[in-house]
Amino acid sequence: MFTLAHLSDPHLAPLPKPHWSELLSKRITGYINWQRRRRFIHDPAVLSKIVADVQRHAPDHIAVTGDIANIALPAEFPRGRDWLESLGAAKDVTFVPGNHDVYVQEAANYAARQWGAQMSDDDDIAGFPFLRRRGPLALIGVTSGVPTAPLLANGWLGTLQLAGLAETLNQLKTEKLFRVLLIHHPPVSQAGRSKALLDAPVLLRIIAAHGADLVLHGHDHLHMINWLNGPNGTRVPAVGVPSASAAPGTSKDAAAYNLYRIDGAPGDWQCEIISRGIAANGEVGEQKRFRLVG
Ligand SMILES: [Fe+2]
């Protein structure tokens, strides 16, 4: 039995005080949005409770699917590193970036420098897609975060990364591991075009051709499950979690995370999902539990 915890979109708060010169970019709209709305949603006390609950369950591995940062100020990256390190050793924590982590062009470099230990493969080599083998799992990380125009939150994987992903998924077929794809943007979403993963149709074709056992994402800040087509009539669950810092009572789901208990063998995998989240009284507890696979 292997236990994987999945949390996403911590959006660490409070926002560090920006220098005026740092706002001469898309960051200005994000800064206004933070001051007007988002700072009332992302509560560090809520995030601390969620993380404490994750730790109490002692998962074998923790996956975080993006959006540690808010407007990708330089000061958000070392703080994000401290937060990632607080979750556990880098070998036990895997991270993929979200659109808020790559809010402006230079931010991809900040992320690589500060969070590279959680975004590298089995040989500690950085780059996307990366592959980490942990117990029966193959964790495959891709980055869908790209800088966009103001007010857009699109994702983009790109031809090179998609080709690498297809090759990785194909090669893994012989290893008989439970393949978990980590991506910030959902492959399927009801959110509008302005938030969508623009090359999702290609990703869906790759999953249909090569398969995967589980896709984990964030971005929409909601509990989500969509079943994707895999090869030979199989179906692949794509599961999203709310923001790990979302205070109860806002327009999106309150902070939660999922535990996956994975057991079995190729052709006979069993995977139970346990959602744990924060209730209106501020307590973190189990919200639902069911057999996702097997
Ligand atoms: Fe987010």
Side-chain angles (χ1 to χ4, degrees):
M1 170 86 72
F2 189 94
T3 304
L4 172 68
H6 171 221
L7 57 157
S8 198
D9 298 75
H11 289 287
L12 298 187
L15 192 67
K17 195 169 166 42
H19 188 271
W20 66 267
S21 63
E22 292 169 345
L23 296 178
L24 296 175
S25 65
K26 180 191 172 179
R27 286 196 188 109
I28 187 66
T29 51
Y31 183 68
I32 292 166
N33 198 5
W34 176 264
Q35 292 295 352
R36 277 200 190 148
R37 197 175 62 84
R38 296 176 75 98
R39 69 191 168 108
F40 302 111
I41 296 171
H42 299 292
D43 182 341
V46 168
L47 180 62
S48 295
K49 285 185 185 179
I50 291 286
V51 169
D53 197 76
V54 172
Q55 307 286 22
R56 260 198 301 281
H57 286 80
D60 296 299
H61 200 85
I62 300 175
V64 185
T65 48
D67 280 4
I68 284 178
N70 296 292
I71 56 172
L73 292 167
E76 293 191 84
F77 291 85
R79 186 177 64 174
R81 176 179 166 158
D82 291 345
W83 182 78
L84 279 172
E85 288 177 350
S86 78
L87 297 179
K91 69 177 176 40
D92 299 324
V93 178
T94 300
F95 179 75
V96 293
N99 51 300
H100 283 263
D101 303 313
V102 194
Y103 211 64
V104 291
Q105 201 70 50
E106 65 268 30
N109 289 332
Y110 304 153
R113 216 171 299 140
Q114 297 290 344
W115 308 338
Q118 289 83 7
M119 303 194 294
S120 53
D121 70 9
D122 290 331
D123 300 317
D124 291 330
I125 296 171
F128 298 98
F130 62 81
L131 168 63
R132 307 179 117 191
R133 297 172 183 83
R134 300 289 186 273
L137 266 57
L139 295 155
I140 305 136
V142 293
T143 179
S144 58
V146 282
T148 64
L151 309 177
L152 295 180
N154 290 118
W156 180 254
L157 291 163
T159 314
L160 268 180
Q161 196 179 192
L162 284 162
L165 175 63
E167 193 183 327
T168 302
L169 289 173
N170 191 34
Q171 284 174 356
L172 281 168
K173 283 176 193 160
T174 57
E175 292 194 36
K176 309 209 178 306
L177 296 168
F178 187 90
R179 295 170 296 171
V180 184
L181 174 63
L182 306 176
I183 180 170
H184 178 68
H185 288 77
V188 175
S189 170
Q190 302 304 314
R193 176 87 181 153
S194 64
K195 291 192 70 177
L197 177 67
L198 294 176
D199 47 6
V202 188
L203 174 63
L204 293 175
R205 281 204 293 277
I206 287 170
I207 291 171
H210 299 291
D213 295 284
L214 180 61
V215 179
L216 301 181
H217 67 80
H219 191 56
D220 285 9
H221 296 193
L222 295 170
H223 282 293
M224 292 166 63
I225 297 187
N226 282 285
W227 289 87
L228 315 179
N229 290 327
N232 308 317
T234 55
R235 296 199 307 156
V236 179
V239 189
V241 282
S243 159
S245 62
T250 67
S251 62
K252 301 283 181 72
D253 289 338
Y257 73 98
N258 286 334
L259 285 168
Y260 294 88
R261 299 204 188 279
I262 297 153
D263 212 347
D268 186 30
W269 289 116
Q270 292 119 45
C271 176
E272 184 183 40
I273 176 170
I274 302 157
S275 291
R276 296 185 60 83
I278 195 152
N281 66 2
E283 297 294 318
V284 178
E286 187 173 318
Q287 297 175 325
K288 57 188 168 186
R289 171 190 294 246
F290 56 94
R291 198 158 277 282
L292 186 68
V293 176

